[in-house]
């Protein structure tokens, strides 16, 4: 079996996790308890694209647990960790689709699918459960921000993936 987590991968994942923590916990705009604007998903999507679904999922879990326990005044709600796990896992599962041909529509498809499952479906359900609010209210509150995030994340992932591909060849 091929060794998946070599030193280069572990160091790169650690950097992506650190970037996620900065973007998610420091450079963030809160609109409500249900909705915030941050670009912390970009490093998790890149982790999955470059190193596969397992590494992307591990990066998502590590980033969420560290961020929640160390940098959040709100504490850790374990079901919410599945959202960041999915943010790294889904792009990792779809990476062959993008590696064959890196085009903007392919990146858009990956980001839309990932955000729809992880942010709109899963995180909205978790937040509705946590705050004892109807799912539709949370979903509607999150929808405009997630649509904006999809556009920004697509542009960033497209540019960064193209530029970093030469340095971080997928394993």
């Amino acid at each position: 079996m091929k060794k998946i987590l070599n030193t280069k991968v572990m160091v790169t994942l650690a950097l992506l996790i650190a970037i996620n923590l900065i973007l998610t916990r420091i450079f963030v705009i809160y609109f409500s308890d249900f909705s915030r604007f941050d670009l912390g998903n970009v490093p998790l999507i890149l982790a999955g694209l470059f190193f596969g679904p397992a590494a992307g999922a591990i990066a998502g879990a590590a980033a969420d647990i560290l961020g929640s326990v160390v940098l959040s005044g709100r504490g850790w709600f374990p079901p919410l960790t599945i959202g960041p796990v999915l943010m790294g896992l889904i792009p990792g599962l779809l990476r062959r689709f993008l590696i064959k041909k890196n085009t903007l529509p392919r990146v858009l498809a990956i980001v839309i699918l990932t955000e729809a499952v992880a942010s709109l479906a899963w995180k909205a359900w978790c937040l509705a459960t946590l705050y004892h609010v109807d799912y539709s209210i949370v979903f509607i509150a999150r929808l405009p921000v997630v649509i904006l995030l999809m556009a920004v994340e697509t542009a960033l992932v497209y540019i960064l993936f193209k530029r970093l591909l030469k340095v971080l060849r997928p394993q």
Side-chain angles (χ1 to χ4, degrees), residues 4 9 21 30 38-39 43 46 48 52 64-66 81 90 98 121 125 129 135 142 146 152-153 162:
I4 296 173
V9 172
L21 291 172
Y30 285 94
D38 69 73
L39 298 172
L46 290 173
D64 187 69
I65 293 167
L66 280 170
T81 300
I90 295 170
L98 185 61
W125 179 81
T129 302
Y135 174 79
R142 292 179 59 78
V146 171
V152 176
E153 288 172 354
K162 193 174 234 180

Side-chain angles (χ1 to χ4, degrees), residues 68-137:
S68 296
V69 172
V70 177
L71 299 173
S72 174
R74 298 173 184 224
W76 182 50
F77 183 59
L80 273 173
T81 300
I82 294 172
V85 167
L86 292 171
M87 280 293 169
L89 178 74
I90 295 170
L93 293 172
L94 300 173
R95 71 191 191 133
R96 286 197 171 103
F97 175 68
L98 185 61
I99 290 170
K100 286 181 184 177
K101 189 174 183 184
N102 181 16
T103 64
L104 191 58
R106 288 178 184 229
V107 173
L108 178 63
I110 289 172
V111 171
I112 287 175
L113 179 63
T114 303
E115 282 286 352
V117 171
S119 278
L120 281 179
W122 184 258
K123 286 184 185 176
W125 179 81
C126 287
L127 289 169
T129 302
L130 179 65
Y131 290 107
H132 306 289
V133 178
D134 188 66
Y135 174 79
S136 61
I137 292 171

Side-chain angles (χ1 to χ4, degrees), residues 12-68:
T12 306
L13 286 176
L15 288 171
L16 290 171
I17 291 166
I19 293 167
N20 167 277
L21 291 172
I22 292 166
L23 293 175
T24 304
R25 306 298 171 174
I26 298 171
F27 295 111
V28 59
I29 301 168
Y30 285 94
F31 298 111
S32 70
D33 285 337
F34 313 130
S35 185
R36 69 182 190 191
F37 182 89
D38 69 73
L39 298 172
N41 292 333
V42 172
L44 302 180
I45 292 169
L46 290 173
L49 290 174
F50 282 114
F51 304 115
I58 290 168
D64 187 69
I65 293 167
L66 280 170
S68 296

